[in-house]
């Protein structure tokens, strides 16, 4: 009897050791799942490499722009000093960029002025936009001078406006510049990948200035600290309207 019991146990052990075959459908699912996991890992690696290389490019561009701005400033100082030594006056090149702020509403406004303000995208009081100065835009600004004030912003003012008050137009909606991808999605075809590229294009009034400026939503500024003097008078007469040249930077600082 003992021998028969051991044989049964042996046969039971052999039966339990046999692994049942796995269905082919399950094997295919496992294979597909492993392939998907590998592809996800590879895609993540490619994305991280691309991100690192893009960040490197952005840093290189930022360094290049800083060198360019410093060189421009150094050249300007050198030319002024050489002119002073020669006993003459150095005349700086004419400004190419203006920052325009609307200071008056729509009371007693004629249709032509209203249309020009719409073309400049100045639909509300304390709205501001960057404008490239040429014959056409200068004549437009002169026609609407009683309703606006404008001048020539410095690099510092351009940076502060875009960094502190910069919003962009995405699908017709106002969106904050939360990261560089927002800019890259819309302006990569113009080789504008980051906020430093956007600032450089605006400040230097590059060949893609129109697209960069239209991409920026009109700036919504605060009322200036201390208020305005007299909106209905020209700046040269002690008021606020019209061209104030480099003094616009003081007003921008008050309105940020």
């Amino acid at each position: 009897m003992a021998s028969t019991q051991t044989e049964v146990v042996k046969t039971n052990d052999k039966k339990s050791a046999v692994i049942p075959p796995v269905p082919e459908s399950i094997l295919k699912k496992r294979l597909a799942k492993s392939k998907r996991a590998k592809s996800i890992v590879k895609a993540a690696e490619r994305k991280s490499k691309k991100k690192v290389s893009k960040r490197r490019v952005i840093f290189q561009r930022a360094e290049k722009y800083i060198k360019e701005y410093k060189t421009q400033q150094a050249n300007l100082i050198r030319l002024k000093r050489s002119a002073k030594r020669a006993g003459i006056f150095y005349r700086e090149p004419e400004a190419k960029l203006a920052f325009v702020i609307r200071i008056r509403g729509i009371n007693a406004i004629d249709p032509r002025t209203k249309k020009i303000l719409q073309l400049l995208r100045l639909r509300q009081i304390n709205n501001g936009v960057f404008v490239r100065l040429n014959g056409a835009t200068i004549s437009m600004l002169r026609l609407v001078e009683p309703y606006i004030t404008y001048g020539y912003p410095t690099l510092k003012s351009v940076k502060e406006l875009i960094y502190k008050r910069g919003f962009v137009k995405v699908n017709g909606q106002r969106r904050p510049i939360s990261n560089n991808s927002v800019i890259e999605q819309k302006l990569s075809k113009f080789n504008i990948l980051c906020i430093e590229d956007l600032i450089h294009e605006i400040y230097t009034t590059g060949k893609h200035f129109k697209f960069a400026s239209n991409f920026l939503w009109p700036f919504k500024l605060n009322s200036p600290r201390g208020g305005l003097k007299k909106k209905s008078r020209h700046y040269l007469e002690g008021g606020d309207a019209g061209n104030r040249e480099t003094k616009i930077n003081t007003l921008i600082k008050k309105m940020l």
Side-chain angles (χ1 to χ4, degrees):
M1 288 293 291
S3 62
T4 54
Q5 283 180 0
T6 53
E7 285 173 6
V8 170
V9 170
K10 285 178 182 177
T11 53
N12 287 339
D13 288 341
K14 285 180 183 177
K15 285 179 182 178
S16 61
V18 175
I19 300 171
V22 180
E24 190 177 352
S25 58
I26 294 174
L27 290 173
K28 285 182 178 179
K29 284 181 182 179
R30 287 177 183 172
L31 184 63
K33 192 176 180 181
S34 65
K35 283 182 178 178
R36 277 198 303 270
K38 287 178 182 178
S39 64
I40 289 168
V41 170
K42 286 180 180 178
E45 288 176 355
R46 284 198 300 269
K47 191 176 179 181
S48 64
K49 285 179 181 177
K50 191 177 179 182
K51 194 175 179 181
V52 169
S53 63
K54 197 179 291 179
R55 194 178 297 165
R56 194 180 294 116
V57 169
I58 288 169
F59 276 116
Q60 286 173 354
R61 288 190 181 190
E63 287 175 357
K64 186 183 77 173
Y65 296 148
I66 289 168
K67 286 179 183 177
E68 184 181 333
Y69 301 142
K70 284 183 177 178
T71 305
Q72 286 178 359
Q73 191 65 23
N75 287 337
L76 183 64
I77 292 167
R78 180 178 55 79
L79 290 168
K80 282 183 177 180
R81 285 176 179 172
S82 61
K84 190 176 180 181
R85 282 196 298 270
I88 57 176
F89 180 75
Y90 173 72
R91 184 187 176 192
E92 293 185 26
E94 291 184 4
K96 296 179 182 179
L97 177 69
F99 188 70
V100 188
I101 304 170
R102 182 168 177 173
I103 58 172
R104 288 178 66 184
I106 60 170
N107 287 345
I109 188 171
D110 62 280
R112 184 177 66 175
T113 304
K114 188 177 181 181
K115 184 64 178 176
I116 292 171
L117 289 171
Q118 286 177 357
L119 290 172
L120 292 171
R121 302 188 300 151
L122 297 171
R123 297 177 178 272
Q124 296 176 334
I125 296 175
N126 295 337
N127 272 11
V129 292
F130 291 110
V131 175
R132 193 208 315 252
L133 292 175
N134 52 38
T137 54
I138 289 170
S139 61
M140 286 170 68
L141 293 174
R142 284 175 182 163
L143 287 169
V144 296
E145 266 192 355
Y147 297 88
I148 62 168
T149 185
Y150 63 98
Y152 316 133
T154 59
L155 176 63
K156 184 182 177 183
S157 296
V158 174
K159 281 187 173 182
E160 285 183 347
L161 281 165
I162 293 176
Y163 273 114
K164 293 182 180 180
R165 295 279 175 162
F167 284 78
V168 295
K169 192 191 299 178
V170 179
N171 299 326
Q173 294 182 333
R174 186 171 178 256
R175 291 281 182 266
I177 307 173
S178 54
N179 50 49
N180 289 324
S181 62
V182 178
I183 298 168
E184 187 182 358
Q185 285 172 5
K186 293 292 180 180
L187 299 178
S188 59
K189 57 186 174 183
F190 306 119
N191 200 24
I192 299 172
L193 304 177
C194 60
I195 195 165
E196 288 298 328
D197 288 339
L198 185 63
I199 290 168
H200 182 263
E201 192 69 22
I202 293 290
Y203 181 66
T204 59
T205 60
K207 59 181 180 180
H208 302 302
F209 173 85
K210 178 183 174 182
F211 302 101
S213 178
N214 287 337
F215 179 59
L216 284 169
W217 197 276
F219 295 91
K220 294 186 177 184
L221 304 173
N222 295 325
S223 297
R225 290 189 300 274
L228 297 170
K229 296 176 185 176
K230 187 76 173 174
K231 291 182 182 181
S232 57
R233 284 187 189 172
H234 197 280
Y235 182 74
L236 298 176
E237 298 171 352
D240 294 297
N243 187 4
R244 54 178 70 201
E245 297 185 357
T246 56
K247 300 293 183 183
I248 193 70
N249 298 291
T250 308
L251 183 62
I252 289 170
K253 194 174 180 180
K254 288 180 181 180
M255 297 181 78
L256 282 173

